[in-house]
Amino acid sequence: MKVTLNRNAFLEELATVQRAISGKTTIPILTGVKLQLAETGLTLTGSNADISIETFLSVEDEKANMVIEKTGSIVLQARFFNEIIRKLPEETLTLELIENNQVIISSGKALFNVNGLNSENYPHLPVIDNQNTFKLSARVLNKLISETVFSVSQHESRPILTGVHFVLENNELLAVATDSHRLSQRVITIGESNNAFDIVVPGKSLQELSRSFKDEEEIVEISIMENQVLFKTEGMHFYSRLLEGNYPDTNRLIPTTFSTEIEFNVPDLLAAIDRASLLSHEGRNNIVKLSISSEQVIIYGNSPEIGNVEESLNYINVTGEPIDISFNPDYMKASLKSFGNIDVVIKFISPIRPFTLQPTDDEINFIQLITPVRTN
């Protein structure tokens, strides 16, 4: 194996596969990155118990400026290898596999000789059945992830809730996440598809996937097997295990009747909650209170140790009964950020029942639900 190529182009691929590599694995070879050099280009692979990422750098890629002298494969320790490549002095580098699984890395006057591992011992990636597939743009998939993944549970006591639930049926794709204190649900219409599925993808996998896309306009082909899902673009294969078990029926959690409704501009409300939470974050109870009546809307933040804040809010419209409600401002800020610069309607039932946030634009099938905090 011997190849000369552009350092920055190589580093970009290396950074992508390294998202799947963990130093805590009990399988030593998985702390490394697998390099497979063929006449068509260089394949890099990283893997852990949850995700595997494979990228391909083509010999025809002008940025790579690749010259292949001899094909072959090796596994190199990812942490040291990445640091070496990043700190090489020249724009180009050469990798050469010599005897005893050793690799010479050279660039300019710098010369490293590092020990590798036999690539034949590297675990094989899952075999995915390409029959159960559908396609989305990376931009749409990224938006689905950003609108839901922050609501997954961070606790392993209910593993199924650490993932996002995806359901495809009747040409509609539903994505929903909940940690039992809040819920995020988005539904989009996709093109004609005869496929249907019901899967739960770990939230951590989706966060890494979202960071791995290079071009938001590239098409992502999604293929599903019994316990794996593959997200495939032209230059990357991203595998994730699926969570086992039945996701709870979240439809029954979303209320349909309300006593109070109020419309806000998202950036205005987000800024006000941010200010109110400055003091509440300093106290033992991270709570902000909203008081709504037909005459005014006031937000309160309080810390017995520091002081309190009170602000009269601008709103677009309010209907229904007066209500005082307390909530976790971090949950509210995360929900509001997922909407972007639009107007939303917040609907309340009572001070102790979950409330919903939805775009005022009925065409956007997106809902957030937050459980209030009891203060008495």
Side-chain angles (χ1 to χ4, degrees):
M1 169 185 170
K2 187 175 182 181
V3 61
T4 300
L5 72 166
N6 179 272
R7 184 172 63 92
N8 287 332
F10 184 52
L11 265 177
E12 194 173 336
E13 305 302 321
L14 197 56
T16 299
V17 299
Q18 197 151 12
R19 298 185 192 282
I21 300 172
S22 170
K24 299 178 181 178
T25 179
T26 56
I27 306 172
I29 201 167
L30 290 185
T31 62
V33 57
K34 179 183 175 183
L35 305 179
Q36 178 91 38
L37 185 64
E39 292 179 357
T40 54
L42 180 63
T43 300
L44 295 83
T45 307
S47 183
N48 62 31
D50 294 320
I51 64 175
S52 300
I53 304 176
E54 182 179 88
T55 69
F56 180 68
L57 194 56
S58 172
V59 70
E60 297 177 0
D61 188 329
E62 293 183 1
K63 287 193 308 179
N65 194 23
M66 192 183 304
V67 178
I68 299 171
E69 297 184 43
K70 186 178 180 182
T71 61
S73 61
I74 192 68
V75 177
L76 296 173
Q77 285 294 319
R79 183 163 63 91
F80 298 110
F81 185 48
N82 183 68
E83 285 296 298
I84 290 169
I85 302 301
R86 195 163 59 84
K87 295 180 179 179
L88 289 174
E90 301 291 340
E91 289 187 1
T92 61
L93 66 103
T94 298
L95 302 172
E96 182 179 5
L97 175 61
I98 58 174
E99 58 189 17
N100 299 322
N101 293 320
Q102 290 185 315
V103 172
I104 295 173
I105 307 167
S106 57
S107 176
K109 295 181 179 180
L111 186 71
F112 288 83
N113 189 328
V114 298
N115 297 322
L117 296 169
N118 191 327
S119 63
E120 292 182 5
N121 297 324
Y122 197 86
H124 294 290
L125 294 180
V127 176
I128 301 290
D129 182 357
N130 288 327
Q131 292 182 348
N132 192 11
T133 66
F134 74 104
K135 296 179 181 180
L136 284 177
S137 73
R139 177 180 52 80
V140 171
L141 181 55
N142 257 342
K143 191 160 177 59
L144 268 181
I145 293 170
S146 68
E147 289 171 338
T148 55
V149 74
F150 61 88
S151 289
V152 302
S153 175
Q154 303 303 313
H155 304 290
E156 294 292 336
S157 54
R158 292 186 68 187
I160 198 74
L161 296 186
T162 63
V164 177
H165 188 202
F166 290 95
V167 179
L168 175 63
E169 58 183 358
N170 301 323
N171 298 323
E172 282 193 338
L173 177 63
L174 173 144
V176 61
T178 181
D179 62 3
S180 76
H181 300 291
R182 54 181 169 173
L183 176 146
S184 304
Q185 178 177 292
R186 181 75 156 101
V187 179
I188 62 169
T189 301
I190 66 170
E192 286 291 323
S193 172
N194 295 323
N195 291 327
F197 61 77
D198 184 327
I199 61 173
V200 184
V201 184
K204 291 179 181 178
S205 297
L206 292 171
Q207 288 172 328
E208 295 299 346
L209 172 67
S210 183
R211 298 182 186 117
S212 300
F213 292 127
K214 295 177 182 174
D215 179 1
E216 286 229 314
E217 297 310 313
E218 65 183 338
I219 298 301
V220 184
E221 184 178 280
I222 303 170
S223 305
I224 294 138
M225 287 288 283
E226 184 177 351
N227 61 353
Q228 290 278 337
V229 58
L230 167 62
F231 301 90
K232 183 167 70 173
T233 66
E234 185 176 353
M236 178 183 73
H237 291 182
F238 186 108
Y239 301 80
S240 172
R241 73 178 177 94
L242 297 175
L243 294 176
E244 298 179 358
N246 295 319
Y247 203 84
D249 179 10
T250 53
N251 283 328
R252 62 182 178 81
L253 302 176
I254 301 173
T256 55
T257 58
F258 305 91
S259 61
T260 308
E261 298 186 15
I262 186 166
E263 294 179 24
F264 286 103
N265 174 258
V266 166
D268 289 347
L269 179 59
L270 180 58
I273 292 174
D274 203 22
R275 288 188 290 270
S277 66
L278 287 173
L279 297 185
S280 66
H281 275 149
E282 294 298 322
R284 285 169 293 180
N285 299 316
N286 187 21
I287 298 170
V288 162
K289 178 182 175 184
L290 194 63
S291 180
I292 300 171
S293 69
S294 58
E295 291 82 28
Q296 63 180 355
V297 178
I298 299 175
I299 192 167
Y300 302 91
N302 177 59
S303 168
E305 299 89 353
I306 308 297
N308 59 71
V309 57
E310 175 181 321
E311 181 177 347
S312 180
L313 300 185
N314 295 322
Y315 59 92
I316 299 168
N317 185 48
V318 61
T319 58
E321 302 172 5
I323 190 171
D324 291 340
I325 197 160
S326 300
F327 54 84
N328 182 317
D330 293 338
Y331 289 174
M332 192 70 150
K333 287 188 288 186
S335 292
L336 290 170
K337 287 175 182 176
S338 69
F339 288 106
N341 188 7
I342 62 171
D343 297 335
V344 294
V345 55
I346 306 179
K347 301 178 181 181
F348 304 93
I349 303 171
S350 76
I352 60 172
R353 296 282 301 279
F355 59 91
T356 65
L357 298 87
Q358 291 176 268
T360 54
D361 182 351
D362 292 333
E363 297 297 313
I364 304 175
N365 197 339
F366 184 26
I367 189 168
Q368 301 277 350
L369 180 144
I370 297 175
T371 301
V373 177
R374 295 193 184 208
T375 55
N376 51 25

